[in-house]
Amino acid sequence: MRELWAKIDKFLLGRKWSIKDKLTHAVLLHSLVTLLTLGGILLYGVSKAETVINEMGMKLVMKYHRDSLDLLLNERKAELLHDAVVTAENTDHQLDDLEREVRRIVQAMEKIERHPELYRPQHVGLPGESDPYGDIPFYLQHGPEVSPEDFAYEIGMAANMRDILARIADDSNSPFIVCSFIASKHNYSLSADSELLPEIKPSLYFDVVSTDWYQEAVAQGGVVFSDIEELSDASQGSIFFCAIPYRDAEGDIAGVAGVEATGRPLQRILKEVDSWHTTAFGFLLDKHGQVILGSDNEPIIRELALYSGKDQQDPEHADIADMIRAMTEGKQGVSEIMLNGEKYDVGYVPLQHNGWSVGLATAESEVLAPVVRNQENFTNLTTRYVATSEQLEREMAIFFLIVSAVVVCLVVAFGKILAGHFVRPINELADGARTIAAGNLDKKLDIHTGDEIEHLATCFNVMTDELKEHMRNVARTAAEKERLSAELSMAKEIQMSTLPRRFPPFPGHDGFGIYASLKTATEVGGDFYDFCLLDEDHLFFTVADVSGKGMAAALFMVISKTVLKNLVHTMGTDHDLAAVISHTNDQLCIENDAEMFVTAFAGLLELSTGRLTYVNAGHNPPLVYHADEKKFKYLDMERNFVLASMEGYGYKSQELTLVPGDWLFLYTDGLTEARAEPRELYGEQRLRDTLDRQKMDDVTPEGLISHVGESLEEFVGKAEQFDDITMMAISYCGKEEKEGKKKEDR
Amino acid sequence: MEIKKEKTGNMLSIALSGELRAIDAPALEKIIKQELEGITYLVFEMKDLAYIASAGLRILFSAQKRMNKQGSMKLVHVNPEVRDVLDMTGYLQFLTLEE
């Protein structure tokens, strides 16, 4: 893992990108980051919004569903109750109509009872006899124990009811009345039967007083309705009776008038419910809690009838029992019952008549079906919407990716072009710089981008101009310097030519050896040395250092040397060196406008005796080697002042006697103050050590100087020489060698 | 080298440090030429001066010659090497040294 990171790091940071690449990558990175950020936010927003909408949609659907259910159920229940009320009213009207018809019969019959003088007995046939009154059979029935002849008058008077009974029984007047009749307390009855088919013959005997409705009507003394009976032939439907007792002139009950009616009209009323819903049904309940009539929906009615009845105790159907109890108690309301595994809402309302009650039922599932369907639709819709939006989201993501890819391509292309545009002037600049570097200073950069690069190019052009100018100056200076250098080197030539440079200078003079070297720091220097034989026995030598360096020093050196040499040659036989030096000093002071000065050591060696007379004018003391001590040491020095600084200064001379094998080593401070690189001086101690290392018995003056020179060279290395370095070595060999070899050599 | 000068009334104090070489001489010479007007007492503080070249000697001497006319001049805290040079070149006899 770490290696991988290292690689990535190396790739990103270790690589050297060109500006063009950097720009391209920067633009690319910027675009990518922007794109990804925007895209991410967009996608996140869309997805979030979608989730929220979906959740909200689902919540809304659920709430709508619940609310719809509640609303629908409540409405349905109210509707059921309302319908039950209407149904009950209609049923009551129906029953009222029947009752009204029966009362007409009762009125007519009581009129006959009270006013028999108004009627005459009429004939009435037995069942099956030919119809004496139109289409409607009118016939007499009686109990088997009754003999009609016993009540012939009474029956004949009652037969006056034929017209009214037939009219009531006639379908065209009241279609649901099948039969109308009067039943006497003497157990006979007269009936008009519109429904009676010609091939059916009613039985002759009919024990009418023992029928429930007769007994009930008598017992009540008012209107009664019988239970509704299903006929054995189901196609005939059901029938029931309405009966009212009638009274004789004395006010006693003389019999019962009634009609037999089909249940069809009531059924029709109940059936009106059926048309609304497939699961809907209506039913009539009697005062005993029995289902006495149902709408067409028979299986469910029968199912309900199974659990009906006041005494129904089945705990599984307590809901039904509760409802039936409420209905028999004459309450109105809405109950929920389970029937056949289905939940039903039942609205019930009591009738005015007979303790009956009307119930209307609808399965909840059907009522709620639209809502459920709605919910399903909604769910489907939501699912589809979710799928669609997910698809949309996917498409958006893909679209975004494509756009990103296109943008990246565009950015790369555009970035390269842009970067190229940026970099081109830089490349031009670089090319220009190369051309200029190659020496073409006439090259001008022609860049007009108006930005920093143009500024840079302008600066570059200015720089080139200045460079050109500078190079012209340098060339001029160099030419000047060369000329000067040529002059200086000529001056040096002249200067050096004034020094004795021929060695050995005095061939034939073996009593001494002398060698000198001068190494100038600049082309012309301020040091000088000189020596000459004043006569056969006197060697004059000097080493001097003019203050300062360069041309002025060189000139003053020439003057000093010339003056000194001239004056030395004027020296008298007293060989007063101090006087010569004092004189020289005065001369130099006169001519010294530049306030220069000279330090000098001058010596006069009497070759025959080894007597050395010397004057030191502010110079550093020379070293002397005594053969018997085999050691270099500093010459004892009188402190005289430098030359050319104070006119009239009295210089003092000193003396020393050399023996053969003795040496003198003269030098200027350029030697001891020569420096190695870290400012270390060559120094007097080093010089003396170097000299002492040399075996003096078999060395020439030239050898000694080159020995010191080598040591110095080794010491300074490559350090620059600051001051002129002058050395002079003199060996004294004594007069033995010099004997007989006196030769003029100046 | 480094040259520090301090003027107090008629007194000029010049502190020299490092090495006074021929190449440094013109700068010192310029100061001497410009600043000596009205000066009656010139002091060279030479505690930190390690080396003096002949060009430096010339300047000191020329300053001394001028101060001889208008006042006095002193070299203070001259270190042994520089003193040797002054001694050897004979300048010591014309200059006033003070510890």
Side-chain angles (χ1 to χ4, degrees):
Chain A
M1 195 64 195
R2 193 170 292 174
E3 285 170 15
L4 182 67
W5 275 116
K7 274 182 187 171
I8 292 171
D9 196 49
K10 194 177 171 189
F11 176 75
L12 288 177
L13 301 174
R15 205 164 141 190
K16 288 184 177 166
W17 306 81
S18 67
I19 290 181
K20 189 174 167 181
D21 287 345
K22 281 179 193 166
L23 266 175
T24 311
H25 287 109
V27 172
L28 184 62
L29 190 69
H30 182 253
S31 314
L32 269 180
V33 167
T34 310
L35 257 177
L36 289 178
T37 311
L38 283 180
I41 291 171
L42 194 69
L43 284 180
Y44 175 76
V46 167
S47 129
K48 188 82 189 168
E50 192 193 290
T51 313
V52 169
I53 287 172
N54 286 349
E55 278 175 7
M56 260 169 60
M58 287 314 285
K59 274 186 195 159
L60 271 176
V61 167
M62 294 310 289
K63 184 163 168 45
Y64 168 76
H65 178 61
R66 271 198 308 277
D67 290 355
S68 303
L69 287 183
D70 292 348
L71 193 69
L72 260 182
L73 284 177
N74 288 337
E75 271 195 1
R76 180 59 194 145
K77 282 173 181 172
E79 201 184 342
L80 271 174
L81 193 60
H82 177 258
D83 288 347
V85 168
V86 171
T87 307
E89 278 174 4
N90 288 344
T91 310
D92 275 333
H93 284 153
Q94 205 74 53
L95 296 177
D96 285 347
D97 285 349
L98 284 182
E99 189 183 334
R100 209 165 31 249
E101 294 297 331
V102 176
R103 284 199 191 285
R104 277 172 61 194
I105 300 171
V106 168
Q107 262 175 6
M109 195 55 208
E110 286 182 346
K111 194 178 173 186
I112 292 171
E113 289 281 339
R114 272 176 230 139
H115 304 284
E117 69 280 4
L118 298 179
Y119 302 94
R120 280 182 296 153
Q122 299 287 326
H123 171 75
V124 59
L126 295 172
E129 287 185 12
S130 62
D131 180 23
Y133 192 83
D135 293 340
I136 299 177
F138 182 68
Y139 51 86
L140 170 72
Q141 286 173 304
H142 53 85
E145 81 287 353
V146 177
S147 140
E149 293 79 20
D150 295 343
F151 306 105
Y153 174 74
E154 205 179 303
I155 292 172
M157 286 303 277
N160 281 306
M161 288 300 289
R162 181 179 52 192
D163 287 348
I164 190 163
L165 285 176
R167 233 186 354 265
I168 285 170
D170 189 348
D171 277 351
S172 57
N173 295 329
S174 48
F176 53 92
I177 292 177
V178 176
C179 175
S180 57
F181 53 83
I182 53 164
S184 165
K185 59 185 179 187
H186 297 122
N187 200 17
Y188 65 85
S189 64
L190 296 177
S191 305
D193 193 345
S194 63
E195 295 283 303
L196 195 64
L197 295 172
E199 63 270 17
I200 292 175
K201 179 183 155 194
S203 67
L204 176 61
Y205 301 118
F206 179 45
D207 197 1
V208 76
V209 291
S210 59
T211 58
D212 291 343
W213 47 266
Y214 181 89
Q215 291 183 358
E216 211 168 324
V218 170
Q220 298 262 330
V223 61
V224 295
F225 290 88
S226 76
D227 288 345
I228 297 175
E229 291 165 15
E230 292 226 4
L231 295 179
S232 53
D233 184 354
S235 66
Q236 297 272 49
S238 49
I239 53 151
F240 66 101
F241 296 90
C242 177
I244 302 173
Y246 62 89
R247 297 162 194 275
D248 55 19
E250 285 76 36
D252 298 326
I253 290 174
V256 170
V259 293
E260 179 188 353
T262 68
R264 249 182 255 117
L266 297 183
Q267 218 165 9
R268 204 177 309 129
I269 291 167
L270 291 175
K271 256 193 211 172
E272 280 174 23
V273 190
D274 280 7
S275 57
W276 306 329
H277 300 284
T278 49
T279 60
F281 65 90
F283 59 94
L284 277 180
L285 207 67
D286 68 9
K287 56 181 178 262
H288 307 297
Q290 293 292 343
V291 174
I292 50 174
L293 189 68
S295 55
D296 256 358
N297 203 336
E298 291 196 4
I300 199 72
I301 301 283
R302 269 200 289 277
E303 178 78 18
L304 179 64
L306 278 181
Y307 307 112
S308 64
K310 262 182 180 170
D311 305 325
Q312 200 279 126
Q313 292 291 333
D314 188 346
E316 272 189 38
H317 295 284
D319 48 353
I320 297 178
D322 287 347
M323 180 186 77
I324 285 176
R325 197 175 309 120
M327 287 174 83
T328 52
E329 283 168 5
K331 290 176 181 166
Q332 84 169 36
V334 181
S335 287
E336 294 173 358
I337 59 168
M338 290 300 293
L339 207 56
N340 261 355
E342 184 99 54
K343 192 173 180 188
Y344 282 86
D345 292 329
V346 185
Y348 49 88
V349 173
L351 293 187
Q352 310 272 333
H353 298 279
N354 231 20
W356 289 3
S357 190
V358 163
L360 297 181
T362 318
E364 271 194 7
S365 63
E366 192 181 4
V367 175
L368 300 181
V371 178
V372 172
R373 253 197 322 280
N374 235 350
Q375 194 202 1
E376 277 168 10
N377 285 344
F378 233 104
T379 310
N380 286 343
L381 213 63
T382 308
T383 313
R384 263 212 310 283
Y385 168 73
V386 168
T388 311
S389 58
E390 275 171 2
Q391 172 71 18
L392 192 70
E393 206 178 330
R394 268 196 300 280
E395 280 170 6
M396 264 183 73
I398 290 168
F399 177 71
F400 174 69
L401 280 179
I402 292 170
V403 167
S404 295
V406 170
V407 167
V408 165
C409 290
L410 283 178
V411 163
V412 168
F414 185 68
K416 273 199 191 304
I417 293 169
L418 195 70
H421 183 70
F422 278 134
V423 169
R424 189 167 42 76
I426 296 179
N427 286 338
E428 274 178 33
L429 201 64
D431 290 344
R434 261 197 295 279
T435 312
I436 290 164
N440 182 5
L441 293 182
D442 294 325
K443 167 81 179 176
K444 282 277 182 286
L445 295 174
D446 192 23
I447 295 172
H448 301 287
T449 51
D451 55 12
E452 288 83 348
I453 293 170
E454 181 178 341
H455 182 62
L456 188 60
T458 311
C459 292
F460 223 89
N461 286 337
V462 170
M463 186 194 79
T464 311
D465 287 345
E466 283 175 0
L467 201 62
K468 211 153 84 181
E469 179 63 27
H470 182 70
M471 281 180 70
R472 256 202 302 278
N473 284 343
V474 166
R476 214 170 24 236
T477 311
E480 185 78 7
K481 203 170 174 185
E482 203 169 332
R483 194 175 57 79
L484 218 64
S485 162
E487 283 180 7
L488 276 175
S489 103
M490 212 174 339
K492 182 180 181 182
E493 198 82 357
I494 294 165
Q495 185 192 22
M496 292 311 276
S497 71
T498 65
L499 303 176
R501 283 185 298 169
R502 195 158 51 97
F503 295 102
F506 314 114
H509 285 268
D510 300 329
F512 69 97
I514 187 165
Y515 187 81
S517 79
L518 194 160
K519 197 174 162 199
T520 52
T522 47
E523 282 81 355
V524 287
D527 281 12
F528 70 92
Y529 66 87
D530 200 3
F531 54 81
C532 59
L533 279 171
L534 297 177
D535 52 45
E536 282 303 304
D537 201 25
H538 290 91
L539 173 70
F540 169 79
F541 58 91
T542 184
V543 168
D545 181 0
V546 177
S547 67
K549 283 189 273 285
M551 211 48 158
L555 282 173
F556 200 69
M557 164 238 157
V558 171
I559 294 169
S560 308
K561 181 176 171 291
T562 309
V563 169
L564 179 61
K565 189 147 192 173
N566 285 340
L567 290 175
V568 163
H569 281 294
T570 63
M571 191 158 49
T573 50
D574 56 350
H575 292 114
D576 187 354
L577 186 61
V580 169
I581 297 301
S582 295
H583 200 179
T584 303
N585 177 47
D586 294 343
Q587 287 291 313
L588 288 178
C589 283
I590 294 166
E591 294 165 25
N592 184 9
D593 293 334
E595 289 193 328
M596 310 202 71
F597 67 84
V598 186
T599 68
F601 179 89
L604 187 67
L605 179 62
E606 195 172 66
L607 298 171
S608 54
T609 59
R611 191 163 65 100
L612 173 68
T613 309
Y614 59 92
V615 174
N616 185 11
H619 200 76
N620 46 334
L623 287 153
V624 61
Y625 175 85
H626 291 299
D628 50 348
E629 292 172 14
K630 297 203 182 303
K631 225 177 168 167
F632 278 94
K633 64 177 186 184
Y634 280 106
L635 225 56
D636 180 36
M637 275 301 148
E638 189 74 36
R639 297 295 190 233
N640 288 312
F641 195 41
V642 296
L643 297 176
S645 274
M646 185 163 287
E647 197 173 349
Y649 188 87
Y651 289 86
K652 298 185 183 78
S653 65
Q654 291 167 272
E655 284 192 6
L656 174 74
T657 303
L658 297 179
V659 298
D662 285 359
W663 287 70
L664 283 172
F665 184 79
L666 292 74
Y667 62 94
T668 57
D669 57 4
L671 173 60
T672 47
E673 286 169 12
R675 286 158 198 269
E677 206 55 89
R679 311 180 66 143
E680 194 187 352
L681 298 181
Y682 185 68
E684 290 166 358
Q685 189 58 47
R686 204 186 308 271
L687 173 62
R688 280 167 67 184
D689 291 346
T690 305
L691 289 170
D692 285 340
R693 268 204 304 279
Q694 180 63 48
K695 277 201 164 132
M696 301 307 291
D697 299 335
D698 49 0
V699 75
T700 62
E702 186 175 3
L704 183 64
I705 283 176
S706 68
H707 171 65
V708 175
E710 279 164 19
S711 158
L712 177 67
E713 219 165 281
E714 190 187 333
F715 172 73
V716 298
K718 287 179 179 172
E720 194 190 344
Q721 183 185 342
F722 280 106
D723 204 358
D724 294 352
I725 298 173
T726 305
M727 291 185 273
M728 180 184 277
I730 298 169
S731 64
Y732 178 66
C733 310
K735 51 191 164 189
E736 291 86 0
E737 282 91 339
K738 170 193 93 163
E739 283 291 307
K741 290 180 182 174
K742 292 180 181 175
K743 236 183 193 173
E744 205 62 38
D745 193 350
R746 293 200 177 177
Chain B
M1 77 167 300
E2 201 177 338
I3 304 171
K4 281 185 198 157
K5 54 181 182 177
E6 193 185 328
K7 198 169 177 179
T8 319
N10 291 335
M11 174 181 149
L12 178 66
S13 170
I14 297 175
L16 305 175
S17 58
E19 300 186 345
L20 176 51
R21 302 198 201 172
I23 195 171
D24 306 309
L28 182 60
E29 188 164 22
K30 193 175 162 193
I31 289 172
I32 300 291
K33 276 187 178 161
Q34 289 176 353
E35 306 279 338
L36 283 193
E37 189 63 48
I39 296 296
T40 54
Y41 184 39
L42 176 63
V43 178
F44 283 95
E45 167 58 60
M46 297 172 75
K47 178 161 63 87
D48 295 324
L49 190 69
Y51 166 81
I52 186 163
S54 55
L57 295 175
R58 183 172 61 79
I59 293 164
L60 287 182
F61 186 60
S62 104
Q64 180 69 57
K65 281 200 286 190
R66 182 157 173 198
M67 288 313 294
N68 286 344
K69 291 170 195 161
Q70 62 187 66
S72 62
M73 172 178 136
K74 266 183 193 164
L75 310 181
V76 298
H77 304 128
V78 180
N79 83 16
E81 284 87 46
V82 175
R83 193 182 189 286
D84 282 350
V85 173
L86 296 177
D87 185 19
M88 189 175 72
T89 51
Y91 275 103
L92 201 54
Q93 48 198 310
F94 304 106
L95 299 170
T96 315
L97 268 61
E98 208 176 83
E99 280 309 303

